[in-house]
Every structure is written in C-alpha cells, then in structure tokens.
Amino acid sequence: MRPSGRQAGQMRPIVIETGFSHHAEGSALIRVGGTEVLCTASVESRVPPFLRGKGSGWVTAEYGMLPRATHARGNREAARGKQSGRTQEIQRLIGRSLRAVTDLKALGEICITLDCDVLNADGGTRCASITGAWVALRLALGKLVANRVLPRIPLTGQVAAVSCGLTSAGAVLDLDYTEDSAALADTNFVLSADNRIVEIQATAEHAPFSEDAFNTLFTLARKGAGELFAAQLSAINTAEQPIT
C-alpha cells in the first residue's frame, strides 16, 4: 500500500488554472496533489546574442522555490548571490523540454521566458513545471497569433513530464515527497504526446535495477503522461473559449 492510499498506476489529482497572472502573456497555476507551481510566459522582441540576425527565436526557463514551499524555510537564492546546482539543472531541463516541441524558426526573433515558481512542494516539482509551462507557452503563442504577430502557433506538439519510482510498494506512478525520499529508484520521464521521448532521468538510489523494472516504470509514465496531456488540452480549451 502506498502512503497516500493510491494504486500503483494512479496519479494525484491534476488541476491547471489559466490566467492566474494578470500581466504575463500566458500563465498556468498547476496543482498535482500537494505540489503547486505557478508558470508564466513572458514575450520579448529580442533573442540572445548568439541568435541575432539568424531569424530564429528562443524559449528558455527559470525555476525557483518560495522559501516556505517545503517543510522548513529555505533561503532565497537571490540572497545567497547565486543559484544552486539543482536550480540550474532543473531550469535547463524545462527549457530543453519546451524547445523540443517548438519550431524556433517559425517563432522568428522572439524570446519567450517561462518562469516556474514553486509555491508548495510535495514531490515532482520539475515535472509539474514542465507540464504547466507548456500550457503557459501555448497560451502566449495563441495571443501572438490573435494579435497577428505570428501567422500560426509554432508548436510541433505537447510535452509533459511525470515521475515514477521503485518503492517498497513496487513500481509506482507520480511520487509524492514521502515516496520520493525513500525510493529505491527515482525516474523522471519527459514525453511528447506523439509517443516520443524528450528526456529520461533515472537514478538507482541503493542498488542497480533491471531493464524489466525500467520498462514497467516507462509503461506507468506513458499512462500518467496521457492524463497530463488531456489536462493540458482541457485547460487550453477552457481558456480560449469564445465569450458569448
């Protein structure tokens, strides 16, 4: 039995609220169980120096946690004067994941920054960030099309992420903090809606695990990702419904 009482292949409740940020071109507050992340998309008519004059856009991300997102207060990284290695790794992962499904040439010389701020952390913050950031990005791109800045939405598909792990209860989907902290193996799957792989992070915490165990985790991840893709589309459809 899992600590939460969930079945092995059961996701936590997923809620994606759009329009939470009044000023960002796109925003999504994603809740996956007790994990809550505010994702905002900001559009700028400029690109990094290495892309200037090349007719290509850029999508990047920043990630952070509020001091009391966890059980004990964490110091603000700005106060320390530098980001932790974990923060840098996660925001690079988010950026890579979104660029994997963005047609940067079709975006033109526009930079979109996704800010992912963890309000409450209960496991899977990087996965929730990627999933919510895609919604914020899609909404921002929709506004660019509506304002005739772009002729079409330059996305090649959806991307979402979910964690899986080997625990004392066996292979399970969508680890919360209690499970993650005691897992025998921890994996994060970043997947596209057309059944392709963007990135997989897999770590044996105690002893190596088998290929069969990995395949079981991968099967669970595909199931969970399917639910996340549906939640993303539902949030987009609700946000872009015409007002009658």
Side-chain angles (χ1 to χ4, degrees), residues 24-107:
E25 283 79 9
S27 69
L29 176 62
I30 180 169
R31 298 182 177 94
V32 183
T35 290
E36 299 178 311
V37 185
L38 175 60
C39 306
T40 58
S42 300
V43 177
E44 297 176 282
S45 299
R46 62 173 184 82
V47 290
F50 69 91
L51 285 175
R52 287 175 189 163
K54 296 184 178 179
S56 179
W58 190 244
V59 175
T60 188
E62 294 189 12
Y63 168 95
M65 298 181 70
L66 293 186
R68 280 314 303 265
T70 55
H71 296 92
R73 184 184 186 277
N75 292 329
R76 295 182 189 272
E77 293 186 336
R80 295 202 304 264
K82 66 176 182 178
Q83 292 178 316
S84 68
R86 176 182 180 274
T87 294
Q88 294 180 54
E89 179 229 335
I90 292 175
Q91 61 190 29
R92 288 169 183 161
L93 170 65
I94 299 167
R96 288 195 303 272
S97 300
L98 296 173
R99 289 193 296 273
V101 293
T102 304
D103 184 344
L104 296 176
K105 282 290 185 182
L107 181 59

Side-chain angles (χ1 to χ4, degrees), residues 57-196:
W58 190 244
V59 175
T60 188
E62 294 189 12
Y63 168 95
M65 298 181 70
L66 293 186
R68 280 314 303 265
T70 55
H71 296 92
R73 184 184 186 277
N75 292 329
R76 295 182 189 272
E77 293 186 336
R80 295 202 304 264
K82 66 176 182 178
Q83 292 178 316
S84 68
R86 176 182 180 274
T87 294
Q88 294 180 54
E89 179 229 335
I90 292 175
Q91 61 190 29
R92 288 169 183 161
L93 170 65
I94 299 167
R96 288 195 303 272
S97 300
L98 296 173
R99 289 193 296 273
V101 293
T102 304
D103 184 344
L104 296 176
K105 282 290 185 182
L107 181 59
E109 294 203 3
I110 291 173
C111 179
I112 301 180
T113 301
L114 282 303
D115 287 293
C116 300
D117 293 292
V118 180
L119 310 182
N120 288 294
D122 186 24
T125 61
R126 73 185 66 196
C127 294
S129 294
I130 291 168
T131 304
W134 184 88
V135 174
L137 174 63
R138 168 60 181 76
L139 290 172
L141 293 172
K143 285 187 178 180
L144 291 177
V145 172
N147 293 332
R148 300 187 178 182
V149 176
L150 296 175
R152 64 177 179 85
I153 293 174
L155 288 175
T156 61
Q158 290 172 255
V159 67
V162 67
S163 67
C164 296
L166 299 177
T167 71
S168 58
V172 298
L173 173 65
D174 185 26
L175 279 68
D176 57 28
Y177 174 78
T178 301
E179 292 176 316
D180 186 44
S181 61
L184 304 175
D186 179 27
T187 58
N188 296 302
F189 292 87
V190 186
L191 305 173
S192 65
D194 58 355
N195 291 321
R196 291 188 293 170

